[in-house]
Amino acid sequence: MYNKGTIIPGLMIFIVFVTFPLWYNGLSAGTVPKPDLPIGQKECVAPASEMRDNHMKLLNQWRDAVLRDDDRVNVKVGGKEYRKGLQTACMQCHTDKEKFCDTCHTYAAVQPSCWDCHLTPAVAASKKETH
Amino acid sequence: MDTKRRKFLKIAGAAALAGIGAPAIVKLTSSAALASEAVQHETAAHGEVAAATGVRLGMVIDMRKFAEQPELLDQAIAACNKVHNIPHFPNDRKNEIKWIWKAPYANVFPELESIHKSEMAKKAPFAVLCNHCDNPSCVKACPTKATFVQPENGIVGMDFHRCIGCRFCMAACPYGARSFNWQDPRPFIDTYNAEFPTRMRGVVEKCNFCGERLALGLEPACVEVAKSAGAMVFGDLNDPDSEIRKVLDKEFTIQRNPAAGTKPSVYYIV
């Protein structure tokens, strides 16, 4: 092998550099987030494991159903009906975006753009109509 | 060996001829359908508008009633603004967001403008909103299909999620019914309706005929305000027994810029 002296140390430096995030955190994934679950409501539109994996797909399906296909059939959860939608369904139980959505999204370093337009319960309450 | 080659060439030639000839045969056989269509066109009067099928939601705006009660239109606009989280930019025409708004007669019906018009046309502000056209030019212009005609009810809907803010639809709309969010609208919204989203910077918006309220069995917010005075009637244009059709049968109505060929669903009694 030619240039053994530079290639092997080079590779070593590369591997150390690439795996930096792993060993810097002591090979642990940090504390797993615990989102605040709604009190008194045990059911969701789908089992928790499915919601954990696919809530973003479900939201997209709801979006297309409501806006595009005029399919505004309500969803039933625990005997109560909700209108399909982030504000009209999800946030009715998960009333705290900061303590529910953000816990995992911050941990996973994803920045969904939902809240650019959709109102979190806290934001909606900030400019509530006063009678 | 020789005979085989001869046979092969014959088959290849026949196949090539069949391939070239097939489209011509298809064209010949389908010409009957085309001919009957042409006959239908001849029977209609020149410029007559064919109605779309299915439920077509539309509106009649009775300007005589709005002229009698000048505060009614302000109330209707305020109701819409509140329900849809529409920002208010005082004295700032560039940033203005309009779903339903006021405009002078000369701007609403420029092709009908005349010197000696009625007092109402001279003075009263006209109510204008998206016409929810049967043949909307904005939908044709949209490169992302963010705006579209809902086949179920004829509403020209918008999916704000898909809008990339190119503003082609604004250029295409002959009625100026679309507004662009040049900046984050949230600081300019007075009160939030927690059941409806706001918009973000870089998105076009317009009247949605209150699709979200129709789903709840309610009438559009502006109609709810103006209905009792009879200033606005909302309903299915294709249902001969609907209230709106009765009004349309009785009164002579005009539409904005019919020459654009967009077939608006909003009618005016002037």
Side-chain angles (χ1 to χ4, degrees):
Chain A
M1 195 193 225
Y2 297 112
N3 301 328
K4 206 189 281 179
T6 44
I7 288 171
I8 289 174
L11 276 175
M12 300 268 269
I13 291 166
F14 176 74
I15 287 165
V16 166
F17 185 71
V18 162
T19 55
F20 173 79
L22 296 179
W23 54 258
Y24 183 75
N25 288 323
L27 290 176
S28 92
T31 45
V32 177
K34 267 215 163 126
D36 265 18
L37 295 174
I39 304 152
Q41 180 65 277
K42 287 265 162 263
E43 278 177 68
C44 195
V45 286
S49 61
E50 204 187 315
M51 289 308 288
R52 223 167 278 144
D53 295 343
N54 292 326
H55 61 281
M56 56 306 254
K57 288 182 193 163
L58 180 80
L59 285 169
N60 282 355
Q61 283 166 10
W62 279 5
R63 174 197 67 199
D64 291 343
V66 167
L67 287 173
R68 235 157 245 280
D69 306 329
D70 202 33
D71 166 20
R72 298 188 191 239
V73 178
N74 291 348
V75 286
K76 235 185 186 169
V77 181
K80 221 178 147 192
E81 284 201 20
Y82 297 94
R83 282 177 279 160
K84 277 180 207 162
L86 193 54
Q87 284 166 245
T88 47
C90 309
M91 305 316 279
Q92 297 297 316
C93 296
H94 303 284
T95 48
D96 198 330
K97 172 238 178 195
E98 285 73 22
K99 285 185 182 158
F100 183 73
C101 310
D102 287 355
T103 47
C104 294
H105 290 162
T106 308
Y107 175 76
V110 289
Q111 280 114 25
S113 52
C114 315
W115 310 105
D116 288 350
C117 295
H118 286 281
L119 296 163
T120 69
V123 172
S126 71
K127 278 192 201 175
K128 220 176 168 183
E129 198 186 1
T130 43
H131 279 289
Chain B
M1 191 69 196
D2 238 16
T3 50
K4 269 189 183 168
R5 177 183 290 166
R6 195 187 177 92
K7 213 176 181 181
F8 170 77
L9 285 172
K10 270 185 183 170
I11 293 168
L17 270 176
I20 294 162
I25 291 163
V26 171
K27 242 183 197 166
L28 282 172
T29 49
S30 65
S31 63
L34 286 171
S36 68
E37 229 174 57
V39 168
Q40 273 184 354
H41 280 296
E42 272 169 21
T43 53
H46 176 70
E48 199 164 301
V49 177
T53 50
V55 177
R56 307 308 283 186
L57 294 175
M59 189 186 279
V60 172
I61 297 174
D62 191 341
M63 279 313 302
R64 298 170 304 189
K65 304 279 164 53
F66 275 126
E68 274 169 26
Q69 300 180 47
E71 75 289 347
L72 194 62
L73 183 51
D74 288 320
Q75 288 166 2
I77 293 169
C80 173
N81 289 355
K82 208 173 96 187
V83 167
H84 297 118
N85 295 325
I86 295 168
H88 176 58
F89 297 91
N91 305 319
D92 185 355
R93 296 293 297 279
K94 188 191 122 187
N95 284 302
E96 198 179 14
I97 304 288
K98 303 175 296 189
W99 285 40
I100 172 169
W101 72 103
K102 293 200 265 189
Y105 175 86
N107 294 8
V108 180
F109 299 106
E111 67 284 339
L112 297 173
E113 174 66 347
S114 57
I115 301 163
H116 299 293
K117 52 194 180 197
S118 71
E119 277 299 303
M120 185 191 75
K122 271 184 204 155
K123 284 184 188 147
F126 275 58
V128 265
L129 69 159
C130 170
N131 279 289
H132 295 277
C133 309
D134 271 359
N135 184 23
S137 43
C138 55
V139 169
K140 284 183 203 157
C142 182
T144 61
K145 292 191 177 163
T147 190
F148 47 88
V149 177
Q150 287 177 353
E152 297 85 1
N153 48 26
I155 291 178
V156 178
M158 251 203 97
D159 183 351
F160 300 123
H161 304 92
R162 263 182 104 100
C163 178
I164 55 169
C166 71
R167 300 191 286 135
F168 285 6
C169 56
M170 293 176 70
C173 177
Y175 310 107
R178 291 172 165 272
S179 309
F180 186 66
N181 286 283
W182 291 97
Q183 52 179 299
D184 180 18
R186 282 201 180 169
F188 301 92
I189 300 171
D190 298 331
T191 55
Y192 285 133
N193 171 14
E195 296 188 347
F196 203 78
T198 67
R199 267 67 59 194
M200 64 179 291
R201 188 175 66 95
V203 170
V204 171
E205 62 182 278
K206 71 166 197 79
C207 158
N208 66 350
F209 250 10
C210 283
E212 81 287 356
R213 286 171 60 87
L214 297 175
L216 295 174
L218 299 165
E219 289 205 295
C222 57
V223 177
E224 205 172 75
V225 171
K227 192 172 63 169
S228 55
M232 276 176 164
V233 183
F234 180 80
D236 180 7
L237 295 169
N238 277 359
D239 175 7
D241 299 323
S242 63
E243 193 192 346
I244 188 168
R245 275 292 292 277
K246 280 176 190 143
V247 174
L248 287 170
D249 288 345
K250 196 169 135 239
E251 305 276 0
F252 181 78
T253 50
I254 54 171
Q255 292 194 299
R256 294 187 67 195
N257 199 353
T262 51
K263 302 184 194 168
S265 298
V266 177
Y267 293 76
Y268 289 85
I269 305 173
V270 180

